[in-house]
Amino acid sequence: MDSAVSNAKTERVAKADAADAVRVRRVRAADVPHVIDLDAHVTKIAKAAYWNDIFRRYGRQRLNERFFLVAEDGAQRSGSGVLGFIIGEIRAWEFGSTPCGWVFALSVEPRARLAGIGSALFAAISEEFKKAGVNKMRTMVARDSMLPLQFFRSEGMMAGPYLQLEKDLE
Amino acid sequence: MKLQISTRIAIFAVLELAAREGHQLSVADIGEKYDISSHHLAKVMNVLHRAGLVRSVRGAGGGYQFSGNARRTTLLDVVQLFEELTSAEPDSVADATPEGQALVQILSEIDDIARATLGSITIATMRKLVDRQEAAGIRTKVAKKSR
């Protein structure tokens, strides 16, 4: 086996191990400060009030159709840190659509990227959507946000039947 | 949207080589599958080589290997080696009219969407799509035409 193939195989094994070590579970109150810090670090905009409200609505209410999931290092004590999170819910009849799962937030700690954490979160919420009875999931990404776009594409998402439209209000 | 022939050939060649990381394929191997002349393919491979997406392997059994990063190289990276995907710019008296400007605005919207789509698909993602097509039963009919 030549070195290129060997290196690629080693990289795949390492990523598989890392993904296996990730534990994905529902958010808890103790996770919210970690979520706030992670989001502020990634987006450079601190919005604690927003995340506290999101936790109240998506972490505590209508949990059969709302999913606020966090990823943590499976080898460490539970609650010791959030490596990433994903939030989505089942929405019905908006825009004439039959019920489907919407993902509206996904973030992974920058130092922990490229280790399968985003994929683990995506797989977990996909499973929750399926268990809840829907067979389609959607999200929306800014056209110039190439990394998130490439991530969702790599997970098998394709352009859907809707076009997002907007207007400047003058 | 229609891609130029050279662009399509380049995408096919990159996909073939990326599927065989660490192994090489000859121009003839790729040309046979897609029914492309070796002459045309060789020209395309030169462009890919200059861009650092493939490396040539000399000697008996030589050919080309993929040398890019399949998880980072996008379709847009390949397409832009062969054709421009710039947004429509006013370039005539007609384009400078309000009607022309309105048309340019709409055409720019289409160009932006095309660029975002091509930029969001990495070679690794394309390989997954190819695998899905194969799983769905789409098989290659090897060109019978001799070269």
Side-chain angles (χ1 to χ4, degrees):
Chain A
M1 185 185 295
D2 64 48
S3 62
V5 174
S6 175
N7 288 343
K9 191 174 178 184
T10 304
E11 189 184 359
R12 278 196 299 273
V13 170
K15 281 173 185 164
D17 287 348
D20 288 344
V22 173
R23 179 167 48 216
V24 178
R25 57 167 172 76
R26 282 200 185 255
V27 69
R28 299 173 189 144
D31 300 320
V32 177
H34 295 288
V35 168
I36 292 169
D37 287 348
L38 171 54
D39 173 67
H41 179 58
V42 171
T43 67
K44 313 294 182 213
I45 303 171
K47 35 191 175 304
Y50 169 78
W51 288 113
N52 282 314
D53 181 54
I54 288 289
F55 172 67
R56 188 173 47 77
R57 290 190 286 138
Y58 290 86
R60 289 193 162 153
Q61 298 173 10
R62 294 162 58 190
L63 297 183
N64 59 327
E65 58 189 30
R66 291 179 172 179
F67 308 100
F68 187 162
L69 309 178
V70 298
E72 62 183 1
D73 186 341
Q76 292 194 356
R77 183 171 53 84
S78 183
S80 59
V82 170
L83 297 175
F85 61 87
I86 192 166
I87 313 172
E89 69 176 325
I90 294 172
R91 297 180 191 167
W93 313 118
E94 289 176 345
F95 317 112
S97 167
T98 53
C100 72
W102 268 93
V103 171
F104 67 86
L106 169 63
S107 190
V108 173
E109 162 62 44
R111 283 171 301 180
R113 287 180 186 171
L114 295 175
I117 293 166
S119 294
L121 286 162
F122 188 90
I125 203 164
S126 302
E127 199 54 40
E128 295 290 353
F129 285 145
K130 276 195 278 184
K131 279 194 283 188
V134 297
N135 57 12
K136 180 84 74 184
M137 63 190 285
R138 297 193 168 112
T139 192
M140 192 156 62
V141 186
R143 276 207 291 260
D144 57 358
S145 295
M146 276 302 150
L147 280 179
L149 264 178
Q150 288 171 6
F151 169 76
F152 285 118
R153 290 287 201 175
S154 76
E155 294 297 332
M157 296 192 95
M158 304 292 288
Y162 295 91
L163 273 179
Q164 181 249 327
L165 301 174
E166 64 183 29
K167 179 185 178 185
D168 289 330
L169 300 175
E170 294 155 1
Chain B
M1 182 182 186
K2 198 166 168 64
L3 294 172
Q4 292 175 15
I5 292 172
S6 293
T7 310
R8 290 166 54 86
I9 291 173
I11 292 170
F12 292 147
V14 167
L15 288 174
E16 284 298 323
L17 296 172
R20 295 162 183 79
E21 204 177 345
H23 295 84
Q24 62 257 17
L25 280 178
S26 69
V27 162
D29 292 333
I30 301 169
E32 184 183 20
K33 177 171 176 179
Y34 296 99
D35 196 18
I36 303 163
S37 78
S38 293
H39 178 68
H40 199 164
L41 192 49
K43 280 189 185 172
V44 167
M45 297 311 286
N46 276 337
V47 176
L48 293 174
H49 184 255
R50 282 201 301 273
L53 290 179
V54 301
R55 74 168 70 90
S56 61
V57 181
R58 298 190 184 279
Y64 287 94
Q65 288 182 350
F66 180 63
S67 57
N69 180 339
R71 295 182 70 194
R72 286 288 171 263
T73 306
T74 68
L75 287 183
L76 185 64
D77 295 328
V78 179
V79 169
Q80 285 183 325
L81 295 173
F82 297 89
E83 54 191 280
E84 279 192 47
L85 280 179
T86 52
S87 291
E89 295 285 339
D91 61 0
S92 67
V93 172
D95 283 345
T97 63
E99 291 80 359
Q101 288 291 298
L103 184 58
V104 164
Q105 186 180 8
I106 297 303
L107 295 179
S108 295
E109 192 178 295
I110 295 169
D111 288 342
D112 287 348
I113 293 171
R115 201 177 299 107
T117 301
L118 292 169
S120 72
I121 309 279
T122 64
I123 298 305
T125 296
M126 271 298 279
R127 284 302 327 166
K128 287 185 189 173
L129 292 173
V130 172
D131 291 344
R132 207 185 301 166
Q133 292 289 337
E134 285 179 343
I138 306 294
R139 297 279 171 213
T140 304
K141 291 177 190 164
V142 175
K144 294 205 168 99
K145 202 164 107 186
S146 60
R147 314 212 142 268

